[in-house]
Amino acid sequence: MAICFDNTYAQMPDRFFERVKPASAPEARLLRVNGALAGELGIDAAWLDSPAGTAVLAGNVLPEGADPIAQAYAGHQFGGWVPQLGDGRAILLGEVLDQTGRRRDIQLKGAGRTPWSRGGDGKSPLGPVLREYVVSEAMAALGVPTTRALAALATGEKVLREDERPGGVLVRVAASHIRVGTFQYFFARDDPEALRLLGEYVIARHYPELIGVADPWMPLLEAVAKRQAKLVAGWMQLGFIHGVMNTDNMTVSGETIDFGPCAFLDTFSFGKVFSSIDRGGRYAWDQQPAIAHWNLARLAECLLPLVSGGDEDKLEGANCALSHFEEHFQEAYYRGFANKFGLRQVGGQTGLWIRTSLALLEKAQVDFTRFFTALGQAAGGDETPLRGEFGNQGDLDGWLAEWRALTDNDPDLVRMSESNPRRIPRNHRIEEAIAAAESGDLAPFRRLVDGLASPFEEDPDFVDLERSPQPNECVNRTFCGT
Ligand code: AMP
Ligand code: MG
């Protein structure tokens, strides 16, 4: 068997999913296979690259052992309740146990309609497929938990959006696709039995340390909150703005999911928003922890019916579990930024100092990623690149004196180089790669993926990927592009 499936979600009760078959795409072409990830999954990358492998990835042939399903979920989108969402353009082919014994989902995104498609076509344009490939793989290389990309395909078909676009399929790999919205789906249907089964499944798959714990639901909530706190802190330290942190786009595994309108900051700004549909700035860079907390409160509501005891005790338990989110977030955020700045210690004033430093970047309109790369060079003795990032040297002089004092003139060079990437998937590069691919030239996409595979290493072949966009290259709006 080319892929050793071992499916468990498809054994859940029928109301958790619908059995579906991927649509076929006879003209499909494989654009990229992720050889390293295939290896992790114990799948032969050469086979994926062959006609037989491509036929499976394109949805044309169902591999032995697959049990394809579309999962049910609901969610709050921009704060508004949607009782039924579900996999409308994604099909879970099955699960595999990877080389370390970790269970991973293999999903085809853009492989046709499912019972949850509503008015949609279940397809995906090629642009969002390539965007997700680039950004999710960069995120993994940057060390942040994320769903992965096993392959990108062009279907050879046209999909109709504002205009006709080439179609694509992304083969997504995830620790699981269970979302806060999966719990909400059953909560809204007043189905505590399903909630309990789902909760037990999540504990077994993602939080095995809670197996056998009596009344594990609030410990589960706190464990999910802890992973989300670290995740959001990790995003913010990279200048990442998720852009669509709806409850259906928040996994309980703690992986980043959904790369629709996401973007990385070029110049730093606390309230930066890229997504064209986020008019109120709900998912701005600095709103992300508050939104994660709000989403976790929705998860708390779903778990409460499972908790034993009186109503007041239950509420107090939930509030207590949620209250730890802020602590976990601050710990990860302060420690992470301290590393970026080369501070060896986190103290009572660190949070305020980080904020003041970021305010300086915002005021001076400095590029977030380049600033930290240049600060590393300053720490190593060369201030020239850092000075080059600032128009007004006066602002920088005062700050540098403070920074030198705080680090006792001995910044932690190792932590700085390990937490300050040189290259991030900049928006203008992604758009450039997509535009080229749409007109048949895949070279910029391939080069972008390659250049982002080791983002912390200096690499003279990819210095162009370190550059900020020129004013005429700036991309300030991103679109869901579904
Ligand atoms: P998203 O904005 O990507 O998180 O998707 C929100 C919901 O819309 C999910 O239920 C998707 O499955 C569904 N959806 C998005 N695009 C399509 C499409 N092209 N066809 C069918 N359903 C879709
Ligand atoms: Mg989504």
Side-chain angles (χ1 to χ4, degrees):
M1 237 192 309
I3 306 178
C4 293
F5 287 104
D6 178 53
N7 307 322
T8 55
Y9 205 82
Q11 322 287 304
M12 297 294 268
D14 287 348
R15 57 196 191 283
F16 280 63
F17 55 81
E18 299 277 352
R19 284 210 154 73
V20 283
K21 285 218 163 36
S24 61
E27 305 293 319
R29 229 164 28 96
L30 193 54
L31 304 180
R32 177 109 187 178
V33 171
N34 188 337
L37 180 59
E40 255 180 60
L41 299 176
I43 302 172
D44 179 6
W47 177 80
L48 288 178
D49 225 339
S50 72
T54 303
V56 166
L57 299 177
N60 296 337
V61 169
L62 258 195
E64 198 188 327
D67 191 356
I69 57 174
Q71 292 173 312
Y73 58 87
H76 276 93
Q77 300 193 312
F78 290 91
W81 171 240
V82 186
Q84 185 170 306
L85 289 162
D87 287 331
R89 50 133 187 216
I91 294 175
L92 176 62
L93 207 52
E95 302 152 23
V96 297
L97 294 174
D98 71 14
Q99 301 294 64
T100 64
R102 237 172 26 114
R103 184 172 296 281
R104 317 274 289 265
D105 279 5
I106 302 182
Q107 194 195 56
L108 306 182
K109 200 172 164 191
R113 288 180 53 80
T114 79
W116 318 110
S117 296
R118 293 169 290 170
D121 58 3
K123 301 283 171 83
S124 175
L126 183 60
V129 167
L130 300 182
R131 167 178 273 271
E132 177 158 350
Y133 195 112
V134 169
V135 183
S136 65
E137 284 308 300
M139 196 62 108
L142 289 161
V144 174
T146 176
T147 64
R148 304 287 304 271
L150 180 61
L153 297 95
T155 58
E157 298 172 345
K158 296 276 181 223
V159 295
L160 189 63
R161 295 297 181 263
E162 304 84 47
D163 44 22
E164 277 199 334
R165 292 288 165 99
V169 168
L170 181 85
V171 184
R172 177 159 74 182
V173 172
S176 85
H177 285 86
I178 302 169
R179 308 141 193 270
V180 169
T182 317
F183 280 88
Q184 289 183 291
Y185 178 86
F186 295 113
F187 177 68
R189 279 162 184 71
D190 198 12
D191 187 347
E193 176 60 14
L195 283 170
R196 192 179 57 76
L197 288 170
L198 183 63
E200 283 169 355
Y201 183 93
V202 166
I203 286 176
R205 187 160 173 178
H206 299 301
Y207 300 92
E209 64 278 14
L210 296 178
I211 294 173
V213 168
D215 223 358
W217 310 114
M218 291 303 109
L220 174 62
L221 176 64
E222 192 180 338
V224 175
K226 187 171 180 181
R227 285 195 197 168
Q228 285 297 332
K230 280 183 75 170
L231 179 67
V232 173
W235 290 349
M236 291 175 78
Q237 278 139 31
L238 296 169
F240 180 73
I241 302 165
H242 182 283
V244 61
M245 287 176 70
N246 297 331
T247 55
D248 55 304
N249 291 331
M250 184 190 258
T251 61
V252 294
S253 68
E255 286 184 343
T256 313
I257 194 170
D258 203 315
F259 295 86
C262 67
F264 286 78
L265 287 167
D266 293 305
T267 52
F268 180 76
S269 162
F270 287 102
K272 182 72 182 170
V273 172
F274 285 93
S275 170
S276 59
I277 54 170
D278 188 4
R279 295 204 181 82
R282 180 178 170 90
Y283 301 140
W285 181 82
D286 62 355
Q287 294 304 306
Q288 297 182 111
I291 285 294
H293 188 268
W294 189 89
N295 289 349
L296 289 161
R298 306 289 75 75
L299 178 61
E301 284 164 1
C302 301
L303 292 173
L304 275 179
L306 301 177
V307 178
S308 44
D311 283 351
E312 255 180 48
D313 287 350
K314 287 191 209 191
L315 269 183
E316 200 184 308
N319 281 330
C320 176
L322 285 175
S323 71
H324 292 301
F325 173 83
E326 185 64 20
E327 276 162 46
H328 293 311
F329 174 73
Q330 282 188 0
E331 194 181 307
Y333 183 85
Y334 293 165
R335 184 66 262 169
F337 267 109
N339 290 346
K340 289 177 78 70
F341 283 110
L343 309 186
R344 290 175 196 274
Q345 247 123 64
V346 173
Q349 295 299 307
T350 307
L352 184 60
W353 186 78
I354 292 168
R355 199 178 160 84
T356 315
S357 303
L358 293 177
L360 169 71
L361 298 194
E362 180 171 59
K363 175 168 169 263
Q365 299 200 358
V366 170
D367 185 281
F368 182 74
T369 303
R370 291 179 64 85
F371 169 80
F372 284 104
T373 304
L375 188 65
Q377 289 160 320
D382 181 8
E383 261 179 27
T384 319
L386 185 61
R387 297 215 164 268
E389 296 300 316
F390 281 80
N392 181 347
Q393 301 295 312
D395 286 343
L396 178 61
D397 286 333
W399 183 85
L400 262 181
E402 238 178 64
W403 173 71
R404 293 213 183 279
L406 256 182
T407 58
D408 288 332
N409 270 324
D410 179 27
D412 191 328
L413 293 173
V414 175
R415 283 195 176 144
M416 289 181 91
S417 67
E418 286 173 352
S419 47
N420 293 324
R422 286 179 163 267
R423 296 177 295 281
I424 49 156
R426 291 182 186 269
N427 249 332
H428 66 298
R429 293 295 181 201
I430 299 173
E431 305 273 324
E432 180 184 81
I434 291 173
E438 284 179 338
S439 50
D441 177 11
L442 280 162
F445 163 69
R446 297 203 170 111
R447 188 162 183 280
L448 193 53
V449 173
D450 292 338
L452 293 168
S454 313
F456 296 96
E457 275 167 35
E458 193 171 356
D459 189 334
D461 287 346
F462 293 115
V463 273
D464 55 313
L465 299 184
E466 294 182 23
R467 281 204 286 272
S468 331
Q470 297 293 311
N472 65 331
E473 293 175 316
C474 259
V475 177
N476 278 312
R477 279 276 159 271
T478 53
F479 301 88
C480 274
T482 53

